[in-house]
Amino acid sequence: MAEIRPNSGTLGKNRRKETEKHPDLDGFIHVDRNLLMDLLAKQADLPLVRLRLAAWNKNNGTTGEAFLSLSVSEPLPPKQDASKNPWEQ
């Protein structure tokens, strides 16, 4: 079994897909509790917590089956003038 790393996961073919209503892909992501608590604190005034999700196309070394390797992190700050602090409005 692959190493479980914080703030990462995988998404691959749903082997339990029985109808068109079932998802094509499924998987898991393992989010560090401290990251979640930090995001909740930073975004306390918002109704939804925003996460950044990144994905890489990969293949299983044993079966050759394609899957997505996932990473979750704090959202990137908005792009602005380099002379300004991106977190200040």
Side-chain angles (χ1 to χ4, degrees):
M1 182 170 178
E3 173 189 2
I4 296 175
R5 293 178 299 165
N7 307 321
S8 67
T10 59
L11 191 61
K13 180 179 178 180
N14 180 4
R15 293 189 178 124
R16 297 180 180 187
K17 183 174 175 100
E18 296 173 3
T19 72
E20 283 301 312
K21 291 190 177 192
H22 292 159
D24 296 322
L25 305 172
D26 70 352
F28 295 95
I29 192 151
H30 306 276
V31 182
D32 179 80
R33 183 181 306 274
N34 292 326
L35 174 64
L36 286 176
M37 290 172 37
D38 187 47
L39 289 170
L40 285 170
K42 287 180 178 178
Q43 301 181 38
D45 58 331
L46 301 175
L48 300 173
V49 175
R50 185 175 178 164
L51 301 170
R52 179 173 187 256
L53 187 62
W56 294 262
N57 291 313
K58 297 213 174 176
N59 291 306
N60 181 303
T62 305
T63 66
E65 189 171 284
F67 68 96
L68 294 174
S69 175
L70 304 174
S71 168
V72 65
S73 63
E74 184 172 344
L76 296 175
K79 282 193 172 188
Q80 291 186 355
D81 184 345
S83 64
K84 296 181 182 175
N85 181 340
W87 295 107
E88 292 178 0
Q89 302 258 353

